[in-house]
Amino acid sequence: MEMNADAFEELVIDELDRLPDDMVEGLENIVFVVEDRPEDGSLDLLGLYDGLALTERTQYGMGELPDRIVVYRDPHLAQCDAEDELRDEIHTTLVHEIAHFYGIDDEQLHEMGWA
């Protein structure tokens, strides 16, 4: 599937807006970023949470750099054939990475059906 960076970013924003309020209300000091690929250039990783989960924080306050959730465009496009499929995959990636922010690990995500 082909899609330019601006159109992909619009889909990510749209899917962020569709997430349940109770999922996003607790997000603070976090930025969402769209990049083409992970640093290693692979197409295997769809997203990344770069930060310290809420469950691992002892003190968090002023002056802290924001955590980041990165959504990778090229891996998503490589795995999807249609826009509906792409939207679903972006949605799942966002939920997966936000879960990491809240301290939910991959094993728990598998149990919940999100990984």
Side-chain angles (χ1 to χ4, degrees):
M1 181 171 184
E2 302 253 342
M3 180 177 287
N4 70 38
D6 291 336
F8 185 84
E9 189 169 326
E10 285 298 318
L11 283 182
V12 171
I13 292 167
D14 195 36
E15 288 306 313
L16 268 171
D17 289 343
R18 294 175 188 225
L19 293 174
D21 289 342
D22 58 345
M23 181 180 291
V24 295
E25 284 174 351
L27 298 177
E28 61 180 48
N29 202 30
I30 189 164
V31 295
F32 290 84
V33 180
V34 174
E35 294 181 1
D36 287 335
R37 289 184 183 210
E39 285 184 22
D40 67 2
S42 74
L43 293 174
D44 297 329
L45 187 64
L46 298 174
L48 176 71
Y49 169 65
D50 181 22
L52 189 61
L54 288 180
T55 55
E56 297 176 12
R57 296 179 185 178
T58 55
Q59 187 174 5
Y60 194 76
M62 299 285 289
E64 298 287 334
L65 290 175
D67 293 356
R68 296 181 338 134
I69 289 179
V70 183
V71 178
Y72 296 112
R73 181 173 66 99
D74 290 345
H76 276 88
L77 296 176
Q79 291 188 19
C80 299
D81 295 321
E83 187 172 318
D84 287 347
E85 183 183 1
L86 180 60
R87 283 182 173 277
D88 288 344
E89 198 61 54
I90 290 169
H91 182 91
T92 300
T93 299
L94 289 170
V95 170
H96 183 105
E97 302 310 331
I98 289 170
H100 288 318
F101 170 83
Y102 287 118
I104 301 171
D105 64 21
D106 283 338
E107 183 176 324
Q108 291 169 304
L109 285 168
H110 278 287
E111 291 170 9
M112 297 165 65
W114 283 103

